[in-house]
Amino acid sequence: MAHPGSTRLGKRLDPRHDTRHDTRHDTRYDSATRQLDKAVARTAAGARGAVGLVSVVAAGLGAVPPVSAAWLAPALAAGLVWTGLYLRRLRAEEPLPHRLVAGDAATTVAACLAQRHLVPVRAFDAGSSWIAGLVTMTIVVIGVTWRPRIAVPAGLAVAGAYLAGVRLAAPSQDVAGTLGIHLVQLLAIVMLMTLLRRSAASADAFLRESARAEIALMVERLRREDELRQVASIHETALHTLTMVGLGTYDEPSPTLRSQVGTDLAALEKLRDRPRPETALIALDALLDEVAGRVPGLDVRRRLIPQTVPGDVAEHFARAVTEALANVALHAGVAEAVLVSSGHDGEIRVEVADAGHGFDQDRLPPDRFGVRGSILDTMNALRGGGARISSGDTGTRVSMWWRP
């Protein structure tokens, strides 16, 4: 993610805070669903591109009467266009566009219905029709791209069009076996993708909970460190004074002793009024500094002011910042981000900015839980909290706030 002003913002940071991350720890998680979609899209694009090229070559070599050049040339041109569009997706980081798959399916259906003009009759007898291979690949791409409620009807439409086209080209040709193969292919790929998507969703749920648990442990450790400081305070004040009295250092009341006792009582009163463990104050700057240092592949420049917040508030900020920085590392295409905290009129604000690729929030796919769930929903669920994301071609800024 990126923000247009992040470069200027980074230049004003204190160099002492320009620390590199420690890759021994990692509190972020990467979406298994996202990685599955990327892997499937690249594999499908590569396979469909290869089959498309082979089909064009095979169609050209097998162009014998009654194949019509007037029909074959436009069909091959359309095939080359779609093949090129698929090959362009090999380097893409997103799933295959639905429009691309739908257009490919429509083109394949049209080719199937025109088989009597595109495929010689002897190719049907030998089972070597170039359209048969294209149909198989189209069904596979449909199955891996779309959910079953769309993939099954679309796949059946392609298989039915192939059956109808063969019947028109060679009425005596037996296509029952081919149709059965296409149905098995369609059902197999749909079932496989359903299992993979469910497994990826389960993995995402586990990884999210693991990340939250680690952040909770970090908060608890900071809380424990605060308790140890309180114990040290007792040792350095009341216990020390009592020890001196017990050793006879003070034989009688004195102004020095009275002053020390007053100081010790004030420290004990502060301990008595300390919040309960679940609402104990946490050093937000220390927590965010640790979170920023645990994001692999990203140099996070920090400008954090000392601030203390309740433990649950600290957890919400830490989870949202973790996801925001992870998104920078995964999608922004830059190696640097800026993390800044500030306070004004009692409101605490935390911002994450970078100078990488922005994104359109309105076009985010539903499975992109990170932006909606781990940032916006996390902060909006906090009473008095909220978040806003501004993004464009020149960058993105994630702003989070909380007011007691």
Side-chain angles (χ1 to χ4, degrees), residues 170-369:
S172 61
Q173 185 70 33
D174 181 16
V175 295
T178 303
L179 179 61
I181 292 175
H182 288 161
L183 293 178
V184 170
Q185 290 171 339
L186 176 61
L187 294 177
I189 195 65
V190 167
M191 292 176 61
L192 175 62
M193 289 305 301
T194 298
L195 292 175
L196 289 175
R197 289 182 180 117
R198 288 180 178 177
S199 298
S202 298
D204 283 342
F206 173 77
L207 292 172
R208 281 196 297 268
E209 291 303 319
S210 297
R212 291 178 181 180
E214 186 168 357
I215 289 174
L217 288 175
M218 292 167 56
V219 172
E220 182 58 33
R221 178 174 55 76
L222 292 174
R223 183 180 293 140
R224 179 58 180 165
E225 291 175 357
D226 179 68
E227 291 178 351
L228 292 176
R229 284 193 293 270
Q230 300 287 359
V231 172
S233 175
I234 296 176
H235 179 271
E236 297 299 327
T237 55
L239 289 180
H240 178 75
T241 302
L242 292 174
T243 299
M244 297 298 291
V245 172
L247 292 175
T249 303
Y250 298 102
D251 295 330
E252 57 184 20
S254 67
T256 301
L257 178 58
R258 281 193 295 271
S259 175
Q260 184 60 48
V261 169
T263 301
D264 296 347
L265 286 175
L268 293 175
E269 289 290 339
K270 183 177 180 180
L271 289 178
R272 187 192 66 180
D273 296 335
R274 184 170 56 89
R276 298 186 303 275
E278 62 269 18
T279 60
L281 296 180
I282 299 297
L284 181 62
D285 54 309
L287 178 61
L288 295 183
D289 184 70
E290 186 167 350
V291 166
R294 294 188 175 198
V295 181
L298 192 66
D299 179 21
V300 183
R301 307 181 67 189
R302 293 88 122 170
R303 188 175 66 188
L304 304 171
I305 65 173
Q307 294 172 312
T308 56
V309 296
D312 60 332
V313 175
E315 286 191 41
H316 280 74
F317 270 113
R319 283 160 46 191
V321 169
T322 296
E323 182 63 27
L325 292 175
N327 282 342
V328 175
L330 289 170
H331 305 296
V334 295
E336 181 179 288
V338 180
L339 174 62
V340 178
S341 68
S342 61
H344 181 67
D345 292 337
E347 181 179 85
I348 294 176
R349 300 187 68 90
V350 176
E351 294 184 336
V352 175
D354 66 83
H357 306 305
F359 63 95
D360 186 350
Q361 298 183 62
D362 296 331
R363 300 180 63 183
L364 282 177
D367 61 310
R368 289 291 296 276
F369 177 84

Side-chain angles (χ1 to χ4, degrees), residues 111-193:
C112 288
L113 295 176
Q115 286 184 85
R116 59 181 175 175
H117 303 291
L118 303 174
V119 180
V121 175
R122 66 183 183 182
F124 296 117
D125 298 330
S128 58
S129 168
W130 61 272
I131 291 183
L134 191 61
V135 167
T136 295
M137 198 65 245
T138 301
I139 289 175
V140 170
V141 172
I142 287 174
V144 301
T145 303
W146 289 333
R147 294 298 192 269
R149 65 179 180 273
I150 300 178
V152 171
L156 290 176
V158 173
Y162 178 77
L163 172 62
V166 172
R167 285 297 189 190
L168 291 173
S172 61
Q173 185 70 33
D174 181 16
V175 295
T178 303
L179 179 61
I181 292 175
H182 288 161
L183 293 178
V184 170
Q185 290 171 339
L186 176 61
L187 294 177
I189 195 65
V190 167
M191 292 176 61
L192 175 62
M193 289 305 301

